[in-house]
């Protein structure tokens, strides 16, 4: 649970299969073009990201694709915030990023050299380039951040957990936090590593249009600043108001929903009631978990039904990057006062009792949004993102 100090988001850096940069991504989210989606076999949605166009040449041989995405996204977020880093004490800069799989492409590339050419051809950077912490570490080095550098690994929930941890740094006196999450696991090694992650989608036949075996790469970087310590307010997108998290027990207890507990904790932390939430950004990626998510939403919002959307139906499952991208999408929705739609696939009816925003955007006044995420193995997280008071 977090204190009441106000944390604002002043910059966004987005990479997704539907667009690079938040402007192109948002345009695609509203257009809701489903021509690339599939109802059948697993499909992979790659982004148009070309590292050499965005990353210094000397970093290319040292970094995996997911780290290159993190560096580019952070650069874009800082530029979007119009932040001059020399104006911020190095000790007041933190980097907090999540990812679920590490640099699997780098592992595959170097191990192939080991097997085919011998150990003399393997890059020494393999010792760390694949590791989960490489993203935060490289971003910290690149931006001379002497504050805390954290890495969180909690599956798809990691994108929310990283943002919450960044908020904690700011509430302890930090000036800015570079945070978010990215994942890229479309290479052969990544596909093997993600077998369990993808297997969830086959646990039961699809019963909702939000469930698919679609996978993508990317995520979002955010620049957070303390409202009280901020060097100047440059029309922030919104604020991070509250966070909650929970774990599901190995043996589920009747009537005990971990996602419901996490959601109620986030609402309490934000000091808002269910009636104050204007839209829910649902995780919406796995059939049987969709049922649990539907039950949690209907239980909490029984007296105050609220629109629900799942824009990641256009980008696929993106590991930790998906949750961070949902937070960026919620902030853009607040900024533009419009709910982006969920992509409908096939003729599966919407979940009972849920007001899904399908196929086209819905313009409506927005003050508070709720973002939900579930990590593989029962990790639940929720964040309330609101307009600036």
């Amino acid at each position: 649970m977090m204190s009441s100090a106000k944390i604002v988001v002043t910059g966004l850096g987005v990479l997704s299969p539907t667009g690079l940069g938040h402007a192109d991504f948002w345009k695609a989210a509203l257009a809701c073009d489903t021509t690339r989606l599939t109802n059948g076999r697993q499909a992979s949605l790659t982004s148009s990201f070309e590292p050499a166009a965005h990353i210094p040449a000397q970093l290319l041989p040292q970094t995996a694709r997911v780290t290159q995405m993190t560096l580019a996204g952070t650069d874009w977020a800082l530029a979007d915030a119009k932040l001059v880093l020399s104006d911020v004490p190095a000790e007041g800069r933190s980097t907090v990023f999540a990812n679920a799989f590490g640099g699997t492409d780098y592992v595959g590339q170097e191990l192939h050299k080991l097997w085919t050419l011998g150990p003399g051809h393997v890059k020494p950077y393999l010792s760390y380039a694949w590791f989960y912490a490489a993203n935060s570490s490289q971003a910290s080095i690149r931006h001379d951040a002497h504050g805390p550098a954290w890495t969180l690994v909690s599956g798809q929930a990691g994108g929310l957990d990283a943002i919450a941890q960044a908020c904690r740094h700011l509430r302890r006196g930090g000036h800015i936090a570079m945070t978010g999450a990215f994942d890229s696991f479309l290479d052969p090694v990544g596909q093997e590593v993600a077998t369990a992650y993808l297997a969830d989608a086959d646990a039961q036949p699809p019963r909702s249009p939000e469930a698919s075996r679609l996978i993508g790469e990317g995520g979002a970087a955010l620049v957070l600043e303390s409202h009280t310590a901020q060097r100047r307010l440059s029309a922030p997108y919104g604020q991070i108001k509250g966070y909650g998290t929970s774990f599901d027990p190995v043996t589920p207890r009747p009537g005990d929903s971990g996602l419901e507990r996490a959601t109620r904790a986030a609402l309490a932390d934000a000091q808002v009631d269910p009636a104050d939430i204007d839209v829910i950004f649902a995780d919406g990626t796995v059939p049987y978990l969709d049922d649990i998510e539907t039950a949690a939403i209907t239980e909490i919002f029984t007296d105050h039904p609220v629109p629900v959307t799942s824009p990641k139906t256009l980008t696929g499952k993106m590991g930790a990057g998906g949750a961070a991208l949902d937070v960026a999408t919620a902030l853009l929705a607040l900024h533009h006062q419009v709910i982006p739609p969920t992509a409908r696939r096939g003729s599966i009816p919407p979940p009972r009792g849920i007001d899904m925003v399908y196929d086209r955007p819905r313009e409506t006044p927005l003050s508070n949004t709720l973002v939900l995420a579930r990590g593989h193995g029962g990790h639940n997280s929720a964040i309330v993102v609101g307009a600036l008071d």
Side-chain angles (χ1 to χ4, degrees), residues 235-277:
Y237 292 96
Q239 59 178 315
I240 307 300
K241 299 182 71 171
Y243 164 75
T245 187
S246 71
F247 285 94
D248 293 327
V250 175
T251 302
R253 295 185 293 266
D256 180 16
S257 168
L259 183 61
E260 182 179 338
R261 283 187 278 114
T263 301
R264 291 191 186 278
L267 295 174
D269 191 29
Q271 299 180 25
V272 299
D273 296 322
D276 297 319
I277 299 297

Side-chain angles (χ1 to χ4, degrees), residues 271-288:
Q271 299 180 25
V272 299
D273 296 322
D276 297 319
I277 299 297
D278 300 307
V279 60
I280 298 171
F281 287 79
D283 189 46
T285 54
V286 179
Y288 75 93

Side-chain angles (χ1 to χ4, degrees), residues 20-317:
L20 301 182
H22 65 74
D24 286 347
F25 166 76
W26 182 246
K27 181 178 179 180
L30 296 184
C32 197
D33 182 2
T34 61
T35 55
R36 298 186 306 160
L37 306 184
T38 177
N39 287 310
R41 296 172 56 192
Q42 174 188 319
S44 301
L45 299 179
T46 60
S47 70
S48 60
F49 177 65
E50 293 291 342
H54 306 284
I55 303 298
Q58 67 270 24
L59 285 177
L60 293 177
Q62 305 177 32
T63 51
R65 183 171 176 83
V66 65
T67 304
Q68 294 161 357
M69 287 183 163
T70 303
L71 292 174
T74 304
D75 286 351
W76 299 348
L78 289 168
D80 189 41
K82 300 179 176 60
L83 181 60
V84 179
L85 279 177
S86 59
D87 294 340
V88 181
E91 293 75 12
R93 310 171 200 166
S94 68
T95 53
V96 191
F97 286 95
N99 71 101
F101 300 105
T104 55
D105 62 313
Y106 205 97
V107 173
Q109 166 190 298
E110 297 306 309
L111 289 184
H112 180 73
K113 292 179 184 178
L114 174 65
W115 294 330
T116 59
L117 301 174
H121 294 270
V122 177
K123 294 175 184 173
Y125 306 118
L126 176 60
S127 62
Y128 64 82
W130 69 272
F131 195 53
Y132 304 95
N135 298 350
S136 294
S137 300
Q138 289 285 8
S140 177
I141 293 168
R142 179 164 172 76
H143 299 293
D144 195 29
H146 295 188
W150 285 294
T151 298
L152 289 96
V153 184
S154 51
Q156 186 147 299
L160 302 190
D161 299 334
I163 293 169
Q165 183 68 10
C167 290
R168 294 188 185 102
H169 164 68
L170 295 179
R171 291 186 171 117
R172 293 168 183 158
H175 289 73
I176 70 162
M178 295 162 273
T179 187
F182 292 87
D183 260 308
S184 178
F185 53 101
L186 305 183
D187 58 282
V189 173
Q191 295 289 280
E192 290 297 321
V193 171
T195 298
Y197 176 68
L198 295 170
D200 273 345
D202 292 328
Q204 296 182 22
R207 290 189 299 280
S208 80
E210 291 71 58
S212 79
R213 300 203 70 214
L214 203 65
I215 59 173
E217 64 172 2
L222 294 78
V223 172
L224 307 186
E225 302 184 48
S226 170
H227 187 268
T228 55
Q230 193 182 357
R231 68 270 134 52
R232 49 99 191 100
L233 267 179
S234 57
Y237 292 96
Q239 59 178 315
I240 307 300
K241 299 182 71 171
Y243 164 75
T245 187
S246 71
F247 285 94
D248 293 327
V250 175
T251 302
R253 295 185 293 266
D256 180 16
S257 168
L259 183 61
E260 182 179 338
R261 283 187 278 114
T263 301
R264 291 191 186 278
L267 295 174
D269 191 29
Q271 299 180 25
V272 299
D273 296 322
D276 297 319
I277 299 297
D278 300 307
V279 60
I280 298 171
F281 287 79
D283 189 46
T285 54
V286 179
Y288 75 93
L289 293 182
D290 280 1
D291 290 349
I292 297 172
E293 190 167 28
T294 297
I297 291 172
T298 53
E299 177 66 25
I300 296 172
F301 295 91
T302 298
D303 298 328
H304 304 280
V306 59
V308 177
T309 189
S310 184
K312 70 166 67 72
T313 49
L314 287 171
T315 60
K317 301 174 69 171

